[in-house]
Every structure is written in structure tokens, then in C-alpha cells.
Amino acid sequence: MPIIVDIDVMLARRKMAVGDLAARIGITPANLAVLKNGRAKAVRFTTLDALCEVLECQPGDLLRWEPEMSTPPGE
């Protein structure tokens, strides 16, 4: 998937543990891990809002788009 989740980058910048962030935004550490590791299929705006508030950042600091690598024709 070309959407990259950079929650771990913001956690490192804020020197915050995953468990602390999960508690502060009101989701389980397991659900935060799914989101953080890019395995989530969706994210609620309320969750994104809470992440941005606690981490003091913008949505673009947490999510970015990268094009998928395609195989050239004939390979």
C-alpha cells in the first residue's frame, strides 16, 4: 500500500512510548500497533485528531503517500 504511516517517527521525536500514546488517545496498544505498522485498512478522523493533539503535529506528519513500484512491461 502506498500510504506510509510515520507514527513511530513522531513517537521518537516526542520521546513517548507506544503504550503511553495508546492510553492518551484512548485505544488499545494492539490497535495502535496495527495502525503504526501500516496494517490498518482505515483510520477514524477522531483517532487521527487525537494522535495529532497528543503528538502536537499535523496529519501530514503521520501519513504520507508513496507511489507503488511497478514492474516494467516484459519483466
Side-chain angles (χ1 to χ4, degrees), residues 7-54:
I7 292 174
D8 53 347
V9 173
M10 290 307 296
L11 280 170
R13 287 182 183 166
R14 302 298 185 249
K15 297 180 180 157
M16 186 181 297
V18 173
D20 185 36
L21 178 61
R24 291 180 64 183
I25 66 172
I27 66 173
T28 66
N31 283 340
L32 181 56
V34 168
L35 180 58
K36 185 175 83 70
N37 295 325
R39 294 184 316 235
K41 298 293 181 194
V43 59
R44 293 177 187 260
F45 281 134
T46 54
T47 302
L48 185 58
D49 176 58
L51 285 165
C52 289
E53 182 177 349
V54 170

